[in-house]
Amino acid sequence: MNLRQVEAFRLIMLRGSMTAAAQELHTSQPSISRLIAELEASTELRLFERKAGRLTPTDEGLTFYREVERSFLGLENLAQAAKDIRFFGTGRLRIAAMPAVALGFVPRCIRVFKERYPNVTISLQMRSEATVTRWSSSHYCDIGFVANIVGSPSIEVRHLYSLPGYCALPPGHRLASREVIVPEDLEGESFISLALEDGARARVDRVFERLGVKRQLALESPFGATICALVGQGLGIGIVNPIVADDYRHTGITFRPFKPAIVFEGNALFPTHHEANVLVDGFLQIVRDALRQYEPAE
């Protein structure tokens, strides 16, 4: 058995005919037929029924195909790994972050960091939390920033913040004169929610459900920045991370404290057993220093 035979078999299963498989492999139909015959001989399996010039996979062929797909999935994972390595390059400090902090907060921290370490090359990638987590566990980044954490032996987690969210109101909204927004204020209002998989979404929904307050849930987005953009267009009200709110205070959106507090979490991720790195430690300290501005005044 060789890879060319297996590839021909897989393409027949995917494309439905030897002719289509031959076109994709840039060869002839007789060559594909020969490869399948050799594969059947080497595996001692009858992979196809041949009737009226058509190929129909046998039960053995279908079972063998499932194993082939598992093997090709492994190859595709390797290809994705190579792509990730190429994408990140060889930056001295590689940062991956969720959009909530990647759009404004982390760049501000990078500015401070570059003042101290002007010759360090930095790679900043904004990705979903799932991708940041995967990259952190696979050593594709030196430090990752997420809100929701998934327990994994390949990841070390350091908690960064637990901050109360802000209610984001469209420009000129009737509630803009309020000092604090409470759930009852939003009865019947169009509300822009976070995605269902976000832990903060569940915390928001529980508050309104407990009090019996009905909102018009017409829009949702996994990203606080997108929620702010939609609020800015007058499409509804949202509750967002205060770090995100800072990036949109110049847009005309009004931000007010929301009670009871909806807590937004932030965590730093590192590969387990990562080597001590003065640049990573230095950047993390800058992040912690920058987060002090969000601590409630005593």
Side-chain angles (χ1 to χ4, degrees), residues 51 56 92 98 192 247 265:
K51 294 181 180 179
T56 303
R92 293 288 302 280
M98 61 179 177
I192 307 168
D247 298 331
E265 304 286 349

Side-chain angles (χ1 to χ4, degrees), residues 7 10-11 37 56 92 96-98 109 126 132 146-147 149 153 184 188 203 220 242 263-264 277:
E7 191 174 17
R10 179 174 182 261
L11 284 173
T56 303
R92 293 288 302 280
M98 61 179 177
C109 292
M126 182 175 73
V132 173
V146 300
I149 55 176
E184 291 82 358
R203 293 191 287 274
E220 69 175 45
V263 175
F264 287 79
N277 186 320

Side-chain angles (χ1 to χ4, degrees), residues 1-13 18 21-22 25 27 30-45 47-48 50 64-65 68 72:
M1 188 192 311
N2 60 50
L3 184 59
R4 186 75 169 174
Q5 295 165 359
V6 174
E7 191 174 17
F9 168 73
R10 179 174 182 261
L11 284 173
I12 291 172
M13 295 294 290
M18 285 191 179
L25 288 176
T27 187
S31 295
I32 296 294
S33 181
R34 185 184 69 256
L35 289 169
I36 296 303
E38 292 171 351
L39 181 61
E40 289 182 320
S42 65
T43 59
E44 298 182 3
L45 297 175
L47 301 174
F48 295 101
R50 296 162 176 82
F64 185 66
Y65 173 68
V68 167
F72 270 80

Side-chain angles (χ1 to χ4, degrees), residues 98-153:
M98 61 179 177
V101 295
L103 290 170
F105 178 78
V106 170
R108 290 192 291 273
C109 292
I110 289 175
R111 177 181 55 78
V112 176
F113 183 86
K114 290 290 284 184
E115 290 172 356
R116 301 180 188 178
Y117 304 94
N119 297 322
V120 173
T121 300
I122 297 175
S123 170
L124 170 61
Q125 303 294 336
M126 182 175 73
R127 289 293 184 271
S128 68
E129 290 192 328
T131 299
V132 173
T133 301
R134 177 169 61 85
W135 280 1
S136 297
S137 66
S138 303
H139 292 257
Y140 292 147
C141 62
D142 300 307
I143 183 170
F145 295 100
V146 300
N148 304 292
I149 55 176
V150 178
S152 169

Side-chain angles (χ1 to χ4, degrees), residues 11 15-25:
L11 284 173
R15 303 293 179 257
S17 72
M18 285 191 179
T19 301
Q23 290 174 346
E24 189 148 340
L25 288 176

Side-chain angles (χ1 to χ4, degrees), residues 80-105:
Q80 181 62 45
K83 181 180 178 182
D84 288 345
I85 292 169
R86 289 196 306 271
F87 196 80
F88 260 125
T90 57
R92 293 288 302 280
L93 182 61
R94 301 166 301 167
I95 304 167
M98 61 179 177
V101 295
L103 290 170
F105 178 78

